[in-house]
């Protein structure tokens, strides 16, 4: 797959619309608590400034229920951009009303206009044609740098691309990096290729599991989803998270792994608790001995050691999903141990998914990973082998 990239098209002096992902976490006072997503958009923005472009930035933020709900305004983003870029950011009052279109048309080289939250306009998530066309009318060039929403057919992600020819639209630096990384890892990994899959449910990652099994050499399953597999093998897992209806699928996945010679690892011990509660009484048990009304909320130390051994010879590691309920300290240990094992390996390590990215920050291993993907859903769809709607329009050749 060859992507049209920003560095390969002529943007000099042009008006450029950049779809960013500024969906950052904020506290109740609208303070940005982690501006990583804003900082990672700066490469593309600065490149446009250096090329004398006038720049229109657009992003969604949260899920406003009504237009112009103040707590979803992008004003705090404009402030942070101003601090980071040390230049004025013109803040639009809306998305595509006449005053904003007028400001966009008067924008001079080097100037930046930030549109209000795209989701203030209900047409955004509906991929509304009129909205897409108005957004497109603001610029000569369209750049997508929002990996996190590229799996969504939204007006600013998909609809808008129809209004630009292939030499006037491209992936920004961040999007290109994410797509290339995942493409390489899924299609030409250095072997042994080991995938660690965790998180809550099998259902959310079923397609990804089906697509991964034929590609990897080993697969290590942790988190809540492990219990559906354990149950499928006949273990009594108490009140642990089990998707009964997916037991046949779990059996199929394990059979497929066996047929293909893929080594399939499941937990051998877990931290079980009386309730899904940070204060619940918990104890360490083997998977053979989970008490009737208890639930497994983390992998145990024997499993962490087993996974560590299995990772020993890996040359590529793809990790998606925590090993336990990492949000509660009591059930964070298993994920921490796996995180350290991944971080200290010599493999190319790719961490995908919002929770897992958050987790490696908590464990302090963030800088040791080769690549941390910013988009959870989007990275999962890439692993599933899908072409993301927002990327499809930017592909030069398959
Ligand atoms: P996902 O969005 O599917 O990647 O799942 C992430 C969530 O899975 C996190 O919020 C974890 O708390 C949760 N999780 C991990 N392990 C378990 C478990 N054993 N039981 C219930 N939830 C879990």
């Amino acid at each position: 797959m060859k992507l049209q990239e920003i560095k390969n098209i002529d943007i000099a002096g042009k008006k450029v619309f950049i779809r960013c992902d500024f969906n950052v976490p904020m506290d109740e006072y609208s303070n940005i608590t982690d501006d990583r997503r804003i900082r990672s958009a700066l490469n593309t923005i600065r490149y446009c400034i250096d090329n004398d472009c006038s720049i229109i930035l657009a992003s969604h933020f949260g899920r406003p229920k009504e237009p112009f709900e103040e707590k979803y305004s992008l004003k705090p983003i404009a402030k942070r951009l101003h601090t980071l870029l040390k230049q004025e950011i013109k803040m639009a009052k809306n998305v595509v009303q006449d005053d904003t279109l007028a400001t966009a048309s008067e924008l001079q080289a080097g100037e930046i206009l930030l549109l209000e939250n795209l989701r203030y306009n209900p047409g955004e998530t509906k991929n509304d044609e009129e909205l897409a066309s108005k957004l497109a009318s603001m610029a000569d060039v369209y750049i997508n740098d929002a990996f996190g929403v590229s799996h969504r057919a939204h007006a600013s992600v998909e609809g808008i691309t129809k209004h630009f020819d292939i030499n006037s639209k491209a992936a920004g630096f961040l999007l290109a990096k994410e797509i290339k990384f995942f493409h390489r890892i899924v299609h030409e990994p250095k072997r042994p290729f080991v995938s660690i899959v965790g998180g809550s449910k099998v259902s959310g990652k079923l397609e990804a599991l089906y697509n991964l099994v034929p590609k990897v050499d080993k697969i290590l399953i942790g988190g809540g989803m492990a219990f559906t597999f354990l149950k499928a093998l006949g273990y009594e897992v108490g009140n642990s998270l089990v998707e009964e209806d997916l037991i046949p699928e779990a059996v199929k996945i394990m059979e497929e792994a066996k047929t293909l010679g893929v080594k399939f690892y499941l937990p051998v011990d877990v931290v079980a608790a009386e309730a899904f509660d940070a204060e619940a009484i918990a104890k360490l048990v083997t998977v053979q001995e989970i008490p009737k009304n208890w639930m497994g909320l983390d992998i145990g130390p024997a499993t962490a050691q087993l996974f560590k051994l299995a990772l020993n010879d890996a040359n590529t590691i793809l990790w998606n999903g925590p090993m336990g309920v990492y949000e509660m300290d009591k059930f964070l240990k298993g994920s921490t141990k796996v995180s350290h094992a991944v971080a200290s390996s010599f493999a190319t390590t790719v961490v995908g998914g919002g929770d897992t990215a958050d987790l490696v920050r908590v464990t302090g291993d963030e800088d040791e990973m080769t690549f941390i993907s910013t988009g959870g859903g989007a990275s999962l769809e890439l692993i599933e082998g899908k072409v993301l709607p927002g990327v499809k329009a930017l592909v030069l050749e398959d």
Side-chain angles (χ1 to χ4, degrees):
M1 188 183 70
K2 196 164 184 313
L3 256 192
Q4 180 67 288
E5 292 179 48
I6 187 169
K7 62 179 194 303
N8 297 329
I9 63 169
D10 177 20
I11 61 161
K14 295 191 176 163
K15 199 155 275 172
V16 178
F17 182 104
I18 312 177
R19 176 44 160 113
C20 301
D21 181 2
F22 294 147
N23 192 27
V24 293
M26 285 191 198
D27 65 15
E28 68 262 45
Y29 309 108
S30 291
N31 293 310
I32 298 168
T33 49
D34 181 354
D35 67 358
R36 201 174 314 250
R37 285 189 168 168
I38 304 178
R39 281 187 283 117
S40 48
L42 296 181
N43 265 351
T44 299
I45 299 172
R46 287 203 175 105
Y47 181 76
C48 291
I49 297 171
D50 292 347
N51 276 280
D52 299 318
C53 300
S54 39
I55 300 158
I56 296 134
L57 300 177
S59 174
H60 69 290
F61 176 60
R63 294 169 195 263
K65 288 187 187 65
E66 298 155 30
F68 302 105
E69 222 179 322
E70 185 62 24
K71 71 171 177 173
Y72 293 111
S73 169
L74 289 196
K75 282 179 211 150
I77 311 285
K79 256 192 175 165
R80 184 59 56 96
L81 279 167
H82 167 72
T83 309
L84 293 167
L85 288 166
K86 302 186 179 60
Q87 77 169 74
E88 185 202 355
I89 308 293
K90 293 179 193 291
M91 184 67 220
K93 291 196 180 66
N94 48 63
V95 184
V96 284
Q97 287 174 17
D98 289 349
D99 53 335
T100 297
L101 296 181
T103 312
S105 83
E106 285 154 18
L107 221 53
Q108 300 297 309
E111 288 186 336
I112 298 178
L113 169 69
L114 174 63
L115 304 186
E116 253 304 358
N117 190 345
L118 287 162
R119 291 194 186 161
Y120 278 171
N121 190 315
E124 165 66 357
T125 50
K126 296 192 182 107
N127 206 7
D128 178 65
E129 177 46 38
E130 192 187 337
L131 174 62
S133 138
K134 278 191 177 170
L135 291 171
S137 74
M138 292 188 207
D140 313 310
V141 171
Y142 170 77
I143 300 295
N144 182 346
D145 218 11
F147 177 68
V149 283
S150 288
H151 60 310
R152 309 257 185 233
H154 290 172
S156 67
V157 178
E158 203 266 341
I160 191 170
T161 60
K162 300 191 178 113
H163 297 267
F164 297 87
D165 66 49
I166 193 66
N167 294 312
S168 309
K169 59 185 171 190
F173 292 109
L174 179 63
L175 179 69
K177 190 173 158 193
E178 301 246 15
I179 298 288
K180 281 199 272 188
F181 239 105
F182 271 99
H183 198 263
R184 202 177 327 136
I185 209 166
V186 173
H187 294 281
E188 42 199 83
K190 266 181 87 186
R191 293 185 180 279
F193 176 18
V194 184
S195 181
I196 310 168
V197 188
S200 54
K201 292 181 175 174
V202 177
S203 48
K205 289 175 189 161
L206 193 61
E207 284 301 311
L209 285 167
Y210 272 122
N211 200 45
L212 276 174
V213 169
K215 295 195 165 77
V216 298
D217 300 291
K218 307 180 196 184
I219 190 156
L220 320 183
I221 306 276
M225 70 158 61
F227 297 101
T228 301
F229 287 97
L230 289 168
K231 186 86 192 264
L233 291 175
Y235 290 97
E236 279 309 323
V237 296
N239 281 344
S240 307
L241 196 60
V242 169
E243 289 167 288
E244 296 280 352
D245 53 328
L246 288 183
I247 288 181
E249 303 278 356
V251 171
K252 235 161 108 185
I253 290 169
M254 289 188 282
E255 277 172 359
E256 164 109 343
K258 198 169 173 191
T259 309
L260 295 172
V262 173
K263 296 172 185 80
F264 197 90
Y265 290 81
L266 284 169
V268 292
D269 63 340
V270 296
V271 179
E274 277 188 314
F276 191 88
D277 190 324
E279 306 302 326
I281 294 173
K283 64 178 175 185
L284 200 57
V285 291
T286 65
V287 292
Q288 287 82 354
E289 294 179 32
I290 301 171
K292 238 193 171 71
N293 293 318
W294 291 47
M295 56 184 77
L297 295 180
D298 192 10
I299 58 169
T303 307
Q305 183 61 25
L306 175 74
F307 286 6
K308 193 175 167 192
L309 272 176
L311 289 170
N312 251 348
D313 64 345
N315 268 317
T316 307
I317 300 172
L318 176 64
W319 182 12
N320 188 306
M323 298 290 99
V325 184
Y326 76 99
E327 299 93 334
M328 302 179 191
D329 281 350
K330 221 174 198 163
F331 312 112
L332 169 63
K333 253 190 195 150
S335 296
T336 305
K337 286 184 179 165
V338 169
S339 172
H340 292 342
V342 173
S344 59
S345 85
F346 291 102
T348 300
T349 50
V350 177
V351 175
D355 275 320
T356 326
D358 185 35
L359 170 66
V360 297
R361 215 166 294 144
V362 173
T363 59
D365 291 323
E366 191 179 16
D367 292 342
E368 303 299 323
M369 304 298 179
T370 314
F371 186 67
I372 298 174
S373 172
T374 55
S379 65
L380 213 53
E381 290 200 10
L382 283 183
I383 299 170
E384 288 166 11
K386 293 186 183 147
V387 179
L388 313 182
V391 173
K392 202 171 177 186
L394 311 176
V395 173
L396 285 168
E397 57 193 66
D398 274 339

